[in-house]
Structure formats: structure tokens, C-alpha cells
Amino acid sequence: MNQFFYTLLLRLSKPFALRLLERKAKKAGGDWDIRGPERFGIYESKQASMDTVEFDEQDSIGNVGFKNPIWVHAVSLGETRAAQPFIRQLLDHGHYVLLTHTTATARAQGVRQFSEDIGEGRLVQAWFPYDFPEAVEGFLNHWQPRCGILIEREVWPNMVLAATQHKIPMLLVSARLSESSAKQVKMIGGVLQKAYKDLDLILAQTHHDAARFEEIGIAKPWVIGNLKFDLNISQQQVQLGEMLRHNLNRQVVVIASTREGEEQEFIQAILTEKPETKAPLYVIVPRHPQRFAQVEGLLQKSKLRYVRRSANPSDEQIKQADVLLGDSLGEMFFYYGLADIAIVAGSFGEFGGQNHIEACAVGVPVIVGPHTENFEKSVEDALIEGAARRTENAQSALILAQQLLQDEAQRSEMGKAGQRWLRLHQGVSQRLYKMIQPYLV
């Protein structure tokens, strides 16, 4: 498929795509601004796009100021969290940053992470435009970034083409390319392959990713590591979780980042495998907030005793519950501080897995399922280092969790192994900042 037919297909699918996005946004909650002018590259004024942040445009660093910001695109919540230490490096070195997102949860996370910088006018958030030529032209003409930094895998053909024409360097960092994605690129052919080839720099997460980039025709991308290793751990949240666990005087199994279909499997496994005495507290944390109510409905049908985190239950209420439903945002380190064992879901259905690195960072033993393609190398390393164990399904995961709960020495060693392993891989943000220096001028 060439650029013309790609764009034609986008235009033909526009009404259906917008309706699908609106449906997704309604389920997720929050303001996605699906039909807003920014999504189409239309801006009334710089001030309006900057959420009314005021600053003197003559106040600039290196006489550039916000007229030529460094643009970082973090599509969703996970990428926004992962990019935080790197963006902090940019800000601490005096650069202005334009931070774009696609989802409302990502934008809200950006506000939480950079509220002070937003208030000072050093970081501005905007919506990533749809990949229509006129939309990306409007975006680039308005913001005039000195370079664009895409996190993980967000490569859009018309955006890359327009940036190339504007002589704006485009970098793909902490880049990953799964086997299925590589096949998709080969199948779609020309337009997507060209977009990858037109990137000025690709910094891959692993040698496996680099090899797959080479398979699609990218000459020797650099391997720099995964930004998700450079965690900004909320010690306050961890301590709050640890304090609650101490007050409960009860062991806790956190089932984190569950996806559709997995909750029902774990609820059934809890009913089947829950010990009659000294049963642990199970904490189910759905990956997407739009599914909190759905998961509560499953718990109601199961007859398990449960409480919701959002209802601020007392310690006594939690003691009496079988399950704590983690229906809150931005509290993963609280849940991991609470945990004796973390079962990281998204890996028990065919979803590619979720981030297990946060649990390892807190020193919590990790159990994953069979589907971890999105974190292929880091899961493999965690298994080898003894920080994680793999099981085939929800029931076997709970059985293994209960075995580990009875073996404090093994839990302790797994937790320490996770923290040792993590220390070996940290520093990605610093390496990344050094490597992109030529593009920041």
C-alpha cells in the first residue's frame, strides 16, 4: 500500500473510526476531545492550546523558548509513566517540552506528573492529531517542534512524512516491535516500511526488537533498553500499602492489570482454591477504569465478599472481605506496597502481558501467565534471575501464590532478586538523553 491509498483509506474510514473512538471514550470516561479542533490540527491561538498558561515568549532558554519545543509523544497511560524520568531530564536541562497524548488517562497522568512545570509554562500538553495530511501539517506548523520523540511504537506514516518535509528529526525511542507487528508491517508494505525508514533514529528496547527492525529493512538500530526500568517509585504510596498490610495482619495477593475475561477466571479460581482458614486477601486491579463497574458486577454475582478501594473502606471492612477491588487510578505502588505476591495479568489472555517491572522494583515476587509478548525480553530475564515465575492459567497462578505465601524465605529471595535485576537495567533515561543530543540543538 502506498501513501495515497493509505490516506484514502483513512478518509473513507473517518466516520466509522470517530464513532468507535467516541464509544471507547464514553466507556473509559474523561475528556478525549474526539472531534475537537486540536485532533484535526486546528488551533485558534498558541495561548488557547496551552491551557491558558501564560509566559513571556521572550523568556527563552538558548533564545529558542517555546517557539521550538522538544515534542514527546506518549500515547497512553503506560508510555506517559515510562517517559517521566526522561522528560524530567529534558526539563532539568532547561528545555521546553510539548507532551502529546491520545487518551484521557494519559493526559491526566501527565498533569499529575508535571503540574509544576505546566504551571510555569515549561511543559505544555496537546492532543496528538489524527494522521490526515492537513491535520499533521496544522500541528507541525503551529508548534514548530525542533524534533519529535515517539515512545515505543507510535509511528504514523503521514506524520513522519510531513516531519521529514519540514526537516524535523523524528526519533523512536524505547522502541519495540513484536513478531506479530513485524509481520503486519511486511503485510501492509510500502507506506509503513517507508515511515520506519524515514525515522532519523531508532533506539530499540532489546536485541530481539532490533533484529525484527532489521527484518523490515531498518539498518542496524541501536539497542538502548526499556524506559520502563527507570521508575519514579512513589515511596509514599508504597509505605501506605505496607502500613495497611501491617494493620490487616493478613497476607495479600495482588492480581494486577487484569483484562477482559481474566477477572472471571481469577474469581472462579479464588472460589475454588481459597483456603478455609487464614485465606489471603485478594486484590483485583483492572487495567482499564472503564471496566471497574463490570468487574464489580462479576464480584456481586460470585457471592465473594468484596469492598471497593474507591469507597475508602475501613481496615475492619477490608479484614472481613475476600476481595479488595482496586478501582482507583495512579495507585499501583500502593497496591504493590500492600502485596506479598503480585500476579501480573494481561498475560493469562492473549493480550501480550502488562508491566511486571513495577512489582519487581518494590521487591514483590511476581507470577505471570503464558502470554507476555509485549515484555518478552524483560520477562525472560526476570524468570532467569529468579524474580518471577510463570504459570499456564489463573488457577495454577493462585496455587503457586499460596505455595509461596507458605515459604517466606523463597518470597524474600524472589523480591531481592527482582530489585537486583532492576538495578542492572536502570539508567536508560540518561543514556537516551546523551544519544539524542545532536537532535536537540
Side-chain angles (χ1 to χ4, degrees), residues 264-296:
Q264 185 58 57
E265 290 183 24
F266 277 105
I267 288 170
Q268 186 57 48
I270 290 169
L271 288 166
T272 304
E273 302 297 335
K274 183 168 69 74
E276 293 184 8
T277 60
K278 294 185 178 180
L281 173 69
Y282 297 98
V283 183
I284 298 178
V285 188
R287 176 73 178 92
H288 298 118
Q290 63 264 35
R291 299 190 54 254
F292 289 163
Q294 179 186 349
V295 178
E296 182 179 12

PDB file of all heavy atoms in Angstrom, residues 264-296:
ATOM      1  N   GLN A 264     -12.954 -12.997  35.464  1.00  0.00           N
ATOM      2  CA  GLN A 264     -13.842 -14.125  35.728  1.00  0.00           C
ATOM      3  C   GLN A 264     -13.044 -15.388  36.046  1.00  0.00           C
ATOM      4  O   GLN A 264     -13.417 -16.158  36.937  1.00  0.00           O
ATOM      5  CB  GLN A 264     -14.743 -14.370  34.515  1.00  0.00           C
ATOM      6  CG  GLN A 264     -15.789 -15.459  34.727  1.00  0.00           C
ATOM      7  CD  GLN A 264     -16.702 -15.157  35.899  1.00  0.00           C
ATOM      8  OE1 GLN A 264     -17.347 -14.114  35.942  1.00  0.00           O
ATOM      9  NE2 GLN A 264     -16.755 -16.062  36.872  1.00  0.00           N
ATOM     10  N   GLU A 265     -11.931 -15.592  35.338  1.00  0.00           N
ATOM     11  CA  GLU A 265     -11.090 -16.758  35.601  1.00  0.00           C
ATOM     12  C   GLU A 265     -10.516 -16.706  37.016  1.00  0.00           C
ATOM     13  O   GLU A 265     -10.475 -17.721  37.724  1.00  0.00           O
ATOM     14  CB  GLU A 265      -9.956 -16.829  34.580  1.00  0.00           C
ATOM     15  CG  GLU A 265     -10.401 -17.170  33.173  1.00  0.00           C
ATOM     16  CD  GLU A 265      -9.212 -17.299  32.235  1.00  0.00           C
ATOM     17  OE1 GLU A 265      -8.098 -17.576  32.725  1.00  0.00           O
ATOM     18  OE2 GLU A 265      -9.401 -17.131  31.014  1.00  0.00           O
ATOM     19  N   PHE A 266     -10.059 -15.528  37.430  1.00  0.00           N
ATOM     20  CA  PHE A 266      -9.471 -15.422  38.764  1.00  0.00           C
ATOM     21  C   PHE A 266     -10.537 -15.514  39.853  1.00  0.00           C
ATOM     22  O   PHE A 266     -10.289 -16.101  40.916  1.00  0.00           O
ATOM     23  CB  PHE A 266      -8.677 -14.117  38.891  1.00  0.00           C
ATOM     24  CG  PHE A 266      -7.287 -14.224  38.330  1.00  0.00           C
ATOM     25  CD1 PHE A 266      -6.971 -13.639  37.116  1.00  0.00           C
ATOM     26  CD2 PHE A 266      -6.308 -14.938  38.998  1.00  0.00           C
ATOM     27  CE1 PHE A 266      -5.690 -13.752  36.591  1.00  0.00           C
ATOM     28  CE2 PHE A 266      -5.027 -15.065  38.478  1.00  0.00           C
ATOM     29  CZ  PHE A 266      -4.716 -14.468  37.263  1.00  0.00           C
ATOM     30  N   ILE A 267     -11.700 -14.953  39.604  1.00  0.00           N
ATOM     31  CA  ILE A 267     -12.781 -15.069  40.592  1.00  0.00           C
ATOM     32  C   ILE A 267     -13.149 -16.536  40.786  1.00  0.00           C
ATOM     33  O   ILE A 267     -13.315 -17.010  41.927  1.00  0.00           O
ATOM     34  CB  ILE A 267     -14.001 -14.241  40.145  1.00  0.00           C
ATOM     35  CG1 ILE A 267     -13.703 -12.745  40.308  1.00  0.00           C
ATOM     36  CG2 ILE A 267     -15.241 -14.625  40.950  1.00  0.00           C
ATOM     37  CD1 ILE A 267     -14.737 -11.838  39.673  1.00  0.00           C
ATOM     38  N   GLN A 268     -13.261 -17.282  39.680  1.00  0.00           N
ATOM     39  CA  GLN A 268     -13.571 -18.704  39.777  1.00  0.00           C
ATOM     40  C   GLN A 268     -12.457 -19.452  40.505  1.00  0.00           C
ATOM     41  O   GLN A 268     -12.720 -20.339  41.333  1.00  0.00           O
ATOM     42  CB  GLN A 268     -13.780 -19.294  38.374  1.00  0.00           C
ATOM     43  CG  GLN A 268     -14.253 -20.739  38.370  1.00  0.00           C
ATOM     44  CD  GLN A 268     -15.541 -20.934  39.138  1.00  0.00           C
ATOM     45  OE1 GLN A 268     -16.509 -20.189  38.956  1.00  0.00           O
ATOM     46  NE2 GLN A 268     -15.564 -21.927  40.031  1.00  0.00           N
ATOM     47  N   ALA A 269     -11.211 -19.086  40.225  1.00  0.00           N
ATOM     48  CA  ALA A 269     -10.077 -19.738  40.887  1.00  0.00           C
ATOM     49  C   ALA A 269     -10.057 -19.425  42.377  1.00  0.00           C
ATOM     50  O   ALA A 269      -9.725 -20.293  43.200  1.00  0.00           O
ATOM     51  CB  ALA A 269      -8.769 -19.286  40.237  1.00  0.00           C
ATOM     52  N   ILE A 270     -10.421 -18.198  42.753  1.00  0.00           N
ATOM     53  CA  ILE A 270     -10.486 -17.841  44.178  1.00  0.00           C
ATOM     54  C   ILE A 270     -11.543 -18.694  44.874  1.00  0.00           C
ATOM     55  O   ILE A 270     -11.321 -19.231  45.973  1.00  0.00           O
ATOM     56  CB  ILE A 270     -10.801 -16.342  44.346  1.00  0.00           C
ATOM     57  CG1 ILE A 270      -9.609 -15.495  43.898  1.00  0.00           C
ATOM     58  CG2 ILE A 270     -11.136 -16.017  45.812  1.00  0.00           C
ATOM     59  CD1 ILE A 270      -9.910 -14.011  43.786  1.00  0.00           C
ATOM     60  N   LEU A 271     -12.698 -18.845  44.229  1.00  0.00           N
ATOM     61  CA  LEU A 271     -13.770 -19.659  44.817  1.00  0.00           C
ATOM     62  C   LEU A 271     -13.331 -21.114  44.978  1.00  0.00           C
ATOM     63  O   LEU A 271     -13.683 -21.776  45.958  1.00  0.00           O
ATOM     64  CB  LEU A 271     -15.018 -19.595  43.931  1.00  0.00           C
ATOM     65  CG  LEU A 271     -15.773 -18.260  43.939  1.00  0.00           C
ATOM     66  CD1 LEU A 271     -16.773 -18.205  42.794  1.00  0.00           C
ATOM     67  CD2 LEU A 271     -16.483 -18.063  45.275  1.00  0.00           C
ATOM     68  N   THR A 272     -12.532 -21.591  44.012  1.00  0.00           N
ATOM     69  CA  THR A 272     -12.108 -22.993  44.027  1.00  0.00           C
ATOM     70  C   THR A 272     -10.949 -23.238  44.974  1.00  0.00           C
ATOM     71  O   THR A 272     -10.918 -24.255  45.688  1.00  0.00           O
ATOM     72  CB  THR A 272     -11.697 -23.437  42.603  1.00  0.00           C
ATOM     73  OG1 THR A 272     -12.784 -23.205  41.709  1.00  0.00           O
ATOM     74  CG2 THR A 272     -11.313 -24.907  42.579  1.00  0.00           C
ATOM     75  N   GLU A 273      -9.992 -22.300  45.000  1.00  0.00           N
ATOM     76  CA  GLU A 273      -8.730 -22.542  45.694  1.00  0.00           C
ATOM     77  C   GLU A 273      -8.587 -21.806  47.023  1.00  0.00           C
ATOM     78  O   GLU A 273      -7.593 -21.988  47.709  1.00  0.00           O
ATOM     79  CB  GLU A 273      -7.553 -22.141  44.785  1.00  0.00           C
ATOM     80  CG  GLU A 273      -7.515 -22.875  43.459  1.00  0.00           C
ATOM     81  CD  GLU A 273      -7.322 -24.379  43.627  1.00  0.00           C
ATOM     82  OE1 GLU A 273      -6.763 -24.801  44.667  1.00  0.00           O
ATOM     83  OE2 GLU A 273      -7.743 -25.136  42.721  1.00  0.00           O
ATOM     84  N   LYS A 274      -9.546 -20.972  47.404  1.00  0.00           N
ATOM     85  CA  LYS A 274      -9.420 -20.186  48.637  1.00  0.00           C
ATOM     86  C   LYS A 274      -9.368 -21.103  49.856  1.00  0.00           C
ATOM     87  O   LYS A 274     -10.282 -21.909  50.058  1.00  0.00           O
ATOM     88  CB  LYS A 274     -10.603 -19.217  48.762  1.00  0.00           C
ATOM     89  CG  LYS A 274     -10.532 -18.293  49.973  1.00  0.00           C
ATOM     90  CD  LYS A 274     -11.567 -17.183  49.867  1.00  0.00           C
ATOM     91  CE  LYS A 274     -12.968 -17.698  50.008  1.00  0.00           C
ATOM     92  NZ  LYS A 274     -13.320 -18.056  51.396  1.00  0.00           N
ATOM     93  N   PRO A 275      -8.321 -21.011  50.665  1.00  0.00           N
ATOM     94  CA  PRO A 275      -8.239 -21.849  51.865  1.00  0.00           C
ATOM     95  C   PRO A 275      -9.393 -21.548  52.826  1.00  0.00           C
ATOM     96  O   PRO A 275      -9.895 -20.425  52.885  1.00  0.00           O
ATOM     97  CB  PRO A 275      -6.896 -21.438  52.492  1.00  0.00           C
ATOM     98  CG  PRO A 275      -6.132 -20.773  51.395  1.00  0.00           C
ATOM     99  CD  PRO A 275      -7.148 -20.135  50.514  1.00  0.00           C
ATOM    100  N   GLU A 276      -9.795 -22.552  53.565  1.00  0.00           N
ATOM    101  CA  GLU A 276     -10.904 -22.354  54.500  1.00  0.00           C
ATOM    102  C   GLU A 276     -10.479 -21.503  55.699  1.00  0.00           C
ATOM    103  O   GLU A 276     -11.290 -20.785  56.265  1.00  0.00           O
ATOM    104  CB  GLU A 276     -11.417 -23.713  54.980  1.00  0.00           C
ATOM    105  CG  GLU A 276     -12.090 -24.527  53.870  1.00  0.00           C
ATOM    106  CD  GLU A 276     -12.665 -25.829  54.392  1.00  0.00           C
ATOM    107  OE1 GLU A 276     -12.675 -26.013  55.636  1.00  0.00           O
ATOM    108  OE2 GLU A 276     -13.104 -26.655  53.578  1.00  0.00           O
ATOM    109  N   THR A 277      -9.209 -21.593  56.064  1.00  0.00           N
ATOM    110  CA  THR A 277      -8.712 -20.771  57.179  1.00  0.00           C
ATOM    111  C   THR A 277      -7.505 -19.963  56.709  1.00  0.00           C
ATOM    112  O   THR A 277      -6.753 -20.383  55.837  1.00  0.00           O
ATOM    113  CB  THR A 277      -8.296 -21.653  58.376  1.00  0.00           C
ATOM    114  OG1 THR A 277      -7.259 -22.557  57.957  1.00  0.00           O
ATOM    115  CG2 THR A 277      -9.483 -22.446  58.893  1.00  0.00           C
ATOM    116  N   LYS A 278      -7.344 -18.810  57.318  1.00  0.00           N
ATOM    117  CA  LYS A 278      -6.222 -17.916  57.008  1.00  0.00           C
ATOM    118  C   LYS A 278      -6.096 -17.645  55.511  1.00  0.00           C
ATOM    119  O   LYS A 278      -5.002 -17.676  54.943  1.00  0.00           O
ATOM    120  CB  LYS A 278      -4.903 -18.481  57.547  1.00  0.00           C
ATOM    121  CG  LYS A 278      -4.851 -18.540  59.066  1.00  0.00           C
ATOM    122  CD  LYS A 278      -3.490 -18.979  59.552  1.00  0.00           C
ATOM    123  CE  LYS A 278      -3.433 -18.980  61.080  1.00  0.00           C
ATOM    124  NZ  LYS A 278      -2.104 -19.400  61.592  1.00  0.00           N
ATOM    125  N   ALA A 279      -7.231 -17.405  54.876  1.00  0.00           N
ATOM    126  CA  ALA A 279      -7.205 -17.090  53.447  1.00  0.00           C
ATOM    127  C   ALA A 279      -6.598 -15.708  53.245  1.00  0.00           C
ATOM    128  O   ALA A 279      -6.846 -14.785  54.019  1.00  0.00           O
ATOM    129  CB  ALA A 279      -8.622 -17.122  52.885  1.00  0.00           C
ATOM    130  N   PRO A 280      -5.782 -15.543  52.209  1.00  0.00           N
ATOM    131  CA  PRO A 280      -5.225 -14.220  51.941  1.00  0.00           C
ATOM    132  C   PRO A 280      -6.301 -13.264  51.425  1.00  0.00           C
ATOM    133  O   PRO A 280      -7.365 -13.696  50.972  1.00  0.00           O
ATOM    134  CB  PRO A 280      -4.183 -14.494  50.849  1.00  0.00           C
ATOM    135  CG  PRO A 280      -4.682 -15.701  50.151  1.00  0.00           C
ATOM    136  CD  PRO A 280      -5.349 -16.540  51.210  1.00  0.00           C
ATOM    137  N   LEU A 281      -6.019 -11.996  51.501  1.00  0.00           N
ATOM    138  CA  LEU A 281      -6.853 -11.008  50.833  1.00  0.00           C
ATOM    139  C   LEU A 281      -6.416 -10.956  49.369  1.00  0.00           C
ATOM    140  O   LEU A 281      -5.222 -10.833  49.071  1.00  0.00           O
ATOM    141  CB  LEU A 281      -6.660  -9.630  51.467  1.00  0.00           C
ATOM    142  CG  LEU A 281      -7.346  -8.465  50.749  1.00  0.00           C
ATOM    143  CD1 LEU A 281      -8.858  -8.560  50.883  1.00  0.00           C
ATOM    144  CD2 LEU A 281      -6.839  -7.127  51.289  1.00  0.00           C
ATOM    145  N   TYR A 282      -7.369 -11.077  48.461  1.00  0.00           N
ATOM    146  CA  TYR A 282      -7.072 -10.955  47.043  1.00  0.00           C
ATOM    147  C   TYR A 282      -7.450  -9.543  46.592  1.00  0.00           C
ATOM    148  O   TYR A 282      -8.549  -9.059  46.891  1.00  0.00           O
ATOM    149  CB  TYR A 282      -7.852 -11.995  46.231  1.00  0.00           C
ATOM    150  CG  TYR A 282      -7.475 -13.417  46.574  1.00  0.00           C
ATOM    151  CD1 TYR A 282      -8.246 -14.167  47.465  1.00  0.00           C
ATOM    152  CD2 TYR A 282      -6.343 -14.008  46.029  1.00  0.00           C
ATOM    153  CE1 TYR A 282      -7.897 -15.467  47.792  1.00  0.00           C
ATOM    154  CE2 TYR A 282      -5.988 -15.308  46.348  1.00  0.00           C
ATOM    155  CZ  TYR A 282      -6.770 -16.031  47.235  1.00  0.00           C
ATOM    156  OH  TYR A 282      -6.418 -17.320  47.575  1.00  0.00           O
ATOM    157  N   VAL A 283      -6.550  -8.903  45.898  1.00  0.00           N
ATOM    158  CA  VAL A 283      -6.788  -7.556  45.388  1.00  0.00           C
ATOM    159  C   VAL A 283      -6.816  -7.640  43.867  1.00  0.00           C
ATOM    160  O   VAL A 283      -5.815  -8.008  43.242  1.00  0.00           O
ATOM    161  CB  VAL A 283      -5.689  -6.574  45.837  1.00  0.00           C
ATOM    162  CG1 VAL A 283      -6.001  -5.156  45.348  1.00  0.00           C
ATOM    163  CG2 VAL A 283      -5.540  -6.600  47.356  1.00  0.00           C
ATOM    164  N   ILE A 284      -7.952  -7.326  43.262  1.00  0.00           N
ATOM    165  CA  ILE A 284      -8.083  -7.357  41.800  1.00  0.00           C
ATOM    166  C   ILE A 284      -8.057  -5.919  41.299  1.00  0.00           C
ATOM    167  O   ILE A 284      -8.903  -5.104  41.675  1.00  0.00           O
ATOM    168  CB  ILE A 284      -9.381  -8.064  41.366  1.00  0.00           C
ATOM    169  CG1 ILE A 284      -9.379  -9.527  41.826  1.00  0.00           C
ATOM    170  CG2 ILE A 284      -9.548  -7.985  39.852  1.00  0.00           C
ATOM    171  CD1 ILE A 284     -10.648 -10.294  41.492  1.00  0.00           C
ATOM    172  N   VAL A 285      -7.065  -5.616  40.447  1.00  0.00           N
ATOM    173  CA  VAL A 285      -6.887  -4.257  39.918  1.00  0.00           C
ATOM    174  C   VAL A 285      -7.065  -4.298  38.400  1.00  0.00           C
ATOM    175  O   VAL A 285      -6.137  -4.659  37.671  1.00  0.00           O
ATOM    176  CB  VAL A 285      -5.495  -3.690  40.264  1.00  0.00           C
ATOM    177  CG1 VAL A 285      -5.409  -2.219  39.868  1.00  0.00           C
ATOM    178  CG2 VAL A 285      -5.185  -3.864  41.751  1.00  0.00           C
ATOM    179  N   PRO A 286      -8.248  -3.935  37.882  1.00  0.00           N
ATOM    180  CA  PRO A 286      -8.448  -3.933  36.428  1.00  0.00           C
ATOM    181  C   PRO A 286      -7.523  -2.934  35.738  1.00  0.00           C
ATOM    182  O   PRO A 286      -7.227  -1.863  36.270  1.00  0.00           O
ATOM    183  CB  PRO A 286      -9.921  -3.524  36.271  1.00  0.00           C
ATOM    184  CG  PRO A 286     -10.551  -3.858  37.587  1.00  0.00           C
ATOM    185  CD  PRO A 286      -9.489  -3.606  38.608  1.00  0.00           C
ATOM    186  N   ARG A 287      -7.091  -3.278  34.532  1.00  0.00           N
ATOM    187  CA  ARG A 287      -6.169  -2.426  33.780  1.00  0.00           C
ATOM    188  C   ARG A 287      -6.820  -1.121  33.343  1.00  0.00           C
ATOM    189  O   ARG A 287      -6.193  -0.075  33.355  1.00  0.00           O
ATOM    190  CB  ARG A 287      -5.675  -3.194  32.546  1.00  0.00           C
ATOM    191  CG  ARG A 287      -4.783  -2.389  31.606  1.00  0.00           C
ATOM    192  CD  ARG A 287      -3.416  -2.178  32.195  1.00  0.00           C
ATOM    193  NE  ARG A 287      -2.537  -1.454  31.280  1.00  0.00           N
ATOM    194  CZ  ARG A 287      -2.380  -0.141  31.248  1.00  0.00           C
ATOM    195  NH1 ARG A 287      -3.067   0.619  32.082  1.00  0.00           N
ATOM    196  NH2 ARG A 287      -1.565   0.433  30.395  1.00  0.00           N
ATOM    197  N   HIS A 288      -8.110  -1.178  32.942  1.00  0.00           N
ATOM    198  CA  HIS A 288      -8.779  -0.008  32.383  1.00  0.00           C
ATOM    199  C   HIS A 288      -9.926   0.447  33.289  1.00  0.00           C
ATOM    200  O   HIS A 288     -10.770  -0.366  33.678  1.00  0.00           O
ATOM    201  CB  HIS A 288      -9.318  -0.311  30.984  1.00  0.00           C
ATOM    202  CG  HIS A 288      -8.235  -0.662  30.011  1.00  0.00           C
ATOM    203  ND1 HIS A 288      -8.152  -1.888  29.384  1.00  0.00           N
ATOM    204  CD2 HIS A 288      -7.173   0.055  29.567  1.00  0.00           C
ATOM    205  CE1 HIS A 288      -7.086  -1.903  28.590  1.00  0.00           C
ATOM    206  NE2 HIS A 288      -6.477  -0.742  28.691  1.00  0.00           N
ATOM    207  N   PRO A 289      -9.992   1.730  33.604  1.00  0.00           N
ATOM    208  CA  PRO A 289     -11.021   2.224  34.520  1.00  0.00           C
ATOM    209  C   PRO A 289     -12.444   2.041  34.013  1.00  0.00           C
ATOM    210  O   PRO A 289     -13.377   1.930  34.823  1.00  0.00           O
ATOM    211  CB  PRO A 289     -10.681   3.721  34.679  1.00  0.00           C
ATOM    212  CG  PRO A 289      -9.800   4.056  33.519  1.00  0.00           C
ATOM    213  CD  PRO A 289      -9.056   2.803  33.186  1.00  0.00           C
ATOM    214  N   GLN A 290     -12.626   2.005  32.681  1.00  0.00           N
ATOM    215  CA  GLN A 290     -13.969   1.836  32.157  1.00  0.00           C
ATOM    216  C   GLN A 290     -14.567   0.482  32.501  1.00  0.00           C
ATOM    217  O   GLN A 290     -15.774   0.278  32.333  1.00  0.00           O
ATOM    218  CB  GLN A 290     -13.992   2.053  30.637  1.00  0.00           C
ATOM    219  CG  GLN A 290     -13.177   1.063  29.830  1.00  0.00           C
ATOM    220  CD  GLN A 290     -11.792   1.583  29.510  1.00  0.00           C
ATOM    221  OE1 GLN A 290     -11.199   2.277  30.326  1.00  0.00           O
ATOM    222  NE2 GLN A 290     -11.286   1.263  28.322  1.00  0.00           N
ATOM    223  N   ARG A 291     -13.741  -0.439  33.025  1.00  0.00           N
ATOM    224  CA  ARG A 291     -14.235  -1.774  33.344  1.00  0.00           C
ATOM    225  C   ARG A 291     -14.428  -1.992  34.842  1.00  0.00           C
ATOM    226  O   ARG A 291     -14.756  -3.094  35.262  1.00  0.00           O
ATOM    227  CB  ARG A 291     -13.288  -2.836  32.763  1.00  0.00           C
ATOM    228  CG  ARG A 291     -13.179  -2.740  31.225  1.00  0.00           C
ATOM    229  CD  ARG A 291     -12.449  -3.922  30.612  1.00  0.00           C
ATOM    230  NE  ARG A 291     -13.053  -5.158  31.016  1.00  0.00           N
ATOM    231  CZ  ARG A 291     -12.523  -5.996  31.913  1.00  0.00           C
ATOM    232  NH1 ARG A 291     -11.355  -5.720  32.483  1.00  0.00           N
ATOM    233  NH2 ARG A 291     -13.137  -7.099  32.230  1.00  0.00           N
ATOM    234  N   PHE A 292     -14.219  -0.949  35.646  1.00  0.00           N
ATOM    235  CA  PHE A 292     -14.379  -1.100  37.102  1.00  0.00           C
ATOM    236  C   PHE A 292     -15.780  -1.618  37.450  1.00  0.00           C
ATOM    237  O   PHE A 292     -15.936  -2.553  38.244  1.00  0.00           O
ATOM    238  CB  PHE A 292     -14.135   0.228  37.815  1.00  0.00           C
ATOM    239  CG  PHE A 292     -12.689   0.684  37.826  1.00  0.00           C
ATOM    240  CD1 PHE A 292     -12.376   2.008  38.111  1.00  0.00           C
ATOM    241  CD2 PHE A 292     -11.652  -0.197  37.551  1.00  0.00           C
ATOM    242  CE1 PHE A 292     -11.052   2.434  38.139  1.00  0.00           C
ATOM    243  CE2 PHE A 292     -10.323   0.212  37.568  1.00  0.00           C
ATOM    244  CZ  PHE A 292     -10.035   1.535  37.858  1.00  0.00           C
ATOM    245  N   ALA A 293     -16.808  -0.996  36.878  1.00  0.00           N
ATOM    246  CA  ALA A 293     -18.186  -1.387  37.190  1.00  0.00           C
ATOM    247  C   ALA A 293     -18.474  -2.810  36.718  1.00  0.00           C
ATOM    248  O   ALA A 293     -19.165  -3.579  37.404  1.00  0.00           O
ATOM    249  CB  ALA A 293     -19.168  -0.404  36.546  1.00  0.00           C
ATOM    250  N   GLN A 294     -17.961  -3.173  35.562  1.00  0.00           N
ATOM    251  CA  GLN A 294     -18.162  -4.526  35.036  1.00  0.00           C
ATOM    252  C   GLN A 294     -17.559  -5.571  35.968  1.00  0.00           C
ATOM    253  O   GLN A 294     -18.175  -6.609  36.244  1.00  0.00           O
ATOM    254  CB  GLN A 294     -17.529  -4.625  33.647  1.00  0.00           C
ATOM    255  CG  GLN A 294     -17.654  -5.994  33.015  1.00  0.00           C
ATOM    256  CD  GLN A 294     -16.881  -6.094  31.696  1.00  0.00           C
ATOM    257  OE1 GLN A 294     -16.415  -5.098  31.158  1.00  0.00           O
ATOM    258  NE2 GLN A 294     -16.758  -7.297  31.169  1.00  0.00           N
ATOM    259  N   VAL A 295     -16.356  -5.291  36.469  1.00  0.00           N
ATOM    260  CA  VAL A 295     -15.703  -6.246  37.371  1.00  0.00           C
ATOM    261  C   VAL A 295     -16.449  -6.313  38.702  1.00  0.00           C
ATOM    262  O   VAL A 295     -16.594  -7.395  39.288  1.00  0.00           O
ATOM    263  CB  VAL A 295     -14.222  -5.870  37.577  1.00  0.00           C
ATOM    264  CG1 VAL A 295     -13.556  -6.830  38.557  1.00  0.00           C
ATOM    265  CG2 VAL A 295     -13.482  -5.882  36.240  1.00  0.00           C
ATOM    266  N   GLU A 296     -16.974  -5.188  39.156  1.00  0.00           N
ATOM    267  CA  GLU A 296     -17.778  -5.223  40.386  1.00  0.00           C
ATOM    268  C   GLU A 296     -19.008  -6.103  40.187  1.00  0.00           C
ATOM    269  O   GLU A 296     -19.408  -6.857  41.090  1.00  0.00           O
ATOM    270  CB  GLU A 296     -18.207  -3.815  40.792  1.00  0.00           C
ATOM    271  CG  GLU A 296     -19.001  -3.821  42.102  1.00  0.00           C
ATOM    272  CD  GLU A 296     -19.419  -2.444  42.553  1.00  0.00           C
ATOM    273  OE1 GLU A 296     -19.307  -1.475  41.773  1.00  0.00           O
ATOM    274  OE2 GLU A 296     -19.878  -2.324  43.711  1.00  0.00           O
TER     275      GLU A 296
END
